[in-house]
Amino acid sequence: MLHMSPLRLPGDLVVCERNWLSSNNLLCLGDAPAIIDTGHVKHAADTVDLVRQHLGAQPLATIAHTHLHSDHCGGTGALQAAYPQAQTWVPEPSLPHVLAWDEDQLTFGDTVQRCDRFAAQHALVPGQSVRLGNYDWQVHAAPGHDALAVLLFEPTHGVLVSGDAMWEHGVGIIFPYIEGSGGFEPFLDTLDVIERLAPRIVVPGHGAAFGRAGGAFDAAMARARTRIEHFIAHPHQHAAYAAKVLVKYQLLDVEQMPLADFHTWLDSAPTLHLLHQQHSPELGWAEWLDALLTPLFDKGVLRRTDTHVLDGV
Ligand SMILES: [Zn+2]
């Protein structure tokens, strides 16, 4: 049997493992405490509570983001209200969009997701570093899941905050491919960057932190590469995967919707229309939705009554 040594993060780095609607958060304790990623707006009050539990009376000094999808920055507005002195960092190209609160550029428009408005003062620039808690964190570009995303890497302890660039199991949606602005390859390039950084511990955007013990990191890397190579060979399967994830994500947020509202939401999501074209342009919209959603209902991932669609297991 393999010897499994526990993950040893320094005591001043605290992983708050959340779920699939809210990203994980990493608290970087110290004289000027920081948080990396803030979860979904639905759980914003929980996020503020979590921070308060760990900081006590100490104010939060810094908020940083791996990328600005609604599951990673939804708690930022509430944290800024609770800690008005906190300074907020976002990936450099996103800074003007946050300042103008341009929901289409910030992707909430195309996916019809929700996120509370927040402010930002500082840009995370690849090649530079940012002080978070007691450590200087390197900023590395991480295109793939999101063209503007960054990795945050703390070299003394080998801790990588990967956002949605790398999970232990599975890969995130490749949004640049859907939008036609990029291919699948940048995701592989970012995995190469992660491999070169040789982290001891990866704190992913979703799922448990993982390390090297038992070959976990190498296995995760191999799984991610295999999955992306599969998408390169079969891009329509990425479209089906992405569409299912986006619908499930919406139901995780709202929990239930009247059928008419559900269809209005589906019809109004530009990203889903792009995915329809990428998956099965020969099918009509309603026919495609039916083919896409029926397996989700059959498996209980979603449920429906005569009047409502509900989140499932
Ligand atoms: Zn995420």
Side-chain angles (χ1 to χ4, degrees):
M1 185 176 160
L2 290 167
H3 174 67
M4 304 288 283
S5 64
L7 288 177
R8 282 211 193 81
L9 277 167
D12 49 11
L13 296 179
V14 179
V15 178
C16 303
E17 189 180 335
R18 306 294 288 275
N19 52 38
W20 287 97
L21 184 61
S22 274
S23 68
N24 295 336
N25 325 118
L26 184 71
L27 279 168
C28 308
L29 306 179
D31 290 341
I35 187 170
I36 304 175
D37 287 347
T38 66
H40 190 272
V41 66
K42 180 176 181 174
H43 305 137
D46 297 339
T47 303
V48 173
D49 284 349
L50 264 171
V51 171
R52 282 219 176 93
Q53 280 169 29
H54 287 280
L55 299 193
Q58 196 183 17
L60 181 70
T62 309
I63 302 168
H65 302 89
T66 58
H67 62 299
L68 296 186
H69 285 164
S70 59
D71 53 329
H72 291 255
C73 59
T76 303
L79 286 168
Q80 290 177 343
Y83 300 103
Q85 305 304 320
Q87 296 288 299
T88 298
W89 296 69
V90 298
E92 184 182 32
S94 301
L95 186 55
H97 305 318
V98 172
L99 295 176
W101 202 251
D102 182 337
E103 295 219 340
D104 288 330
Q105 292 289 344
L106 292 167
T107 78
F108 312 133
D110 282 354
T111 53
V112 199
Q113 295 173 1
R114 62 196 184 104
C115 186
D116 277 354
R117 185 166 186 167
F118 58 86
Q121 293 81 30
H122 305 283
L124 293 165
V125 181
Q128 298 185 359
S129 64
V130 57
R131 185 78 176 177
L132 299 172
N134 290 329
Y135 308 107
D136 291 323
W137 294 72
Q138 299 172 358
V139 181
H140 296 270
H145 167 72
D146 174 69
L148 311 181
V150 297
L151 307 167
L152 294 168
F153 182 62
E154 197 288 294
T156 22
H157 297 89
V159 179
L160 176 74
V161 177
S162 62
D164 292 346
M166 186 185 190
W167 301 335
E168 185 171 10
H169 298 281
V171 298
I173 297 171
I174 319 296
F175 282 98
Y177 184 84
I178 301 171
E179 295 149 6
S181 61
F184 295 113
E185 291 76 9
F187 201 107
L188 291 174
D189 296 341
T190 296
L191 292 175
D192 290 346
V193 169
I194 292 173
E195 190 147 60
R196 282 197 294 275
L197 291 173
R200 283 200 320 107
I201 297 174
V202 178
V203 180
H206 306 272
F210 57 97
R212 301 260 165 193
F217 175 86
D218 291 338
M221 184 62 80
R223 274 192 295 271
R225 285 187 171 130
T226 300
R227 185 81 166 137
I228 297 297
E229 276 153 14
H230 181 78
F231 285 153
I232 290 171
H234 308 283
H236 69 284
Q237 291 189 11
H238 171 262
Y241 163 67
K244 288 174 184 173
V245 169
L246 288 173
V247 174
K248 173 68 176 174
Y249 184 90
Q250 177 68 6
L251 267 297
L252 279 170
D253 179 6
V254 301
E255 297 179 18
Q256 59 170 293
M257 299 168 97
L259 272 172
D261 293 358
F262 179 60
H263 282 281
T264 301
W265 177 81
L266 292 168
D267 294 348
S268 69
T271 303
L272 286 177
H273 288 276
L274 289 174
L275 291 168
H276 167 217
Q277 291 307 313
Q278 289 171 16
H279 185 249
S280 297
E282 72 283 4
L283 295 181
W285 171 243
E287 202 182 350
W288 178 69
L289 284 177
D290 194 49
L292 183 83
L293 298 178
T294 296
L296 297 183
F297 289 116
D298 287 349
K299 289 179 194 153
V301 175
L302 304 178
R303 293 177 296 134
R304 62 183 151 193
T305 65
D306 289 343
T307 57
H308 283 71
V309 173
L310 301 92
D311 190 28
V313 289

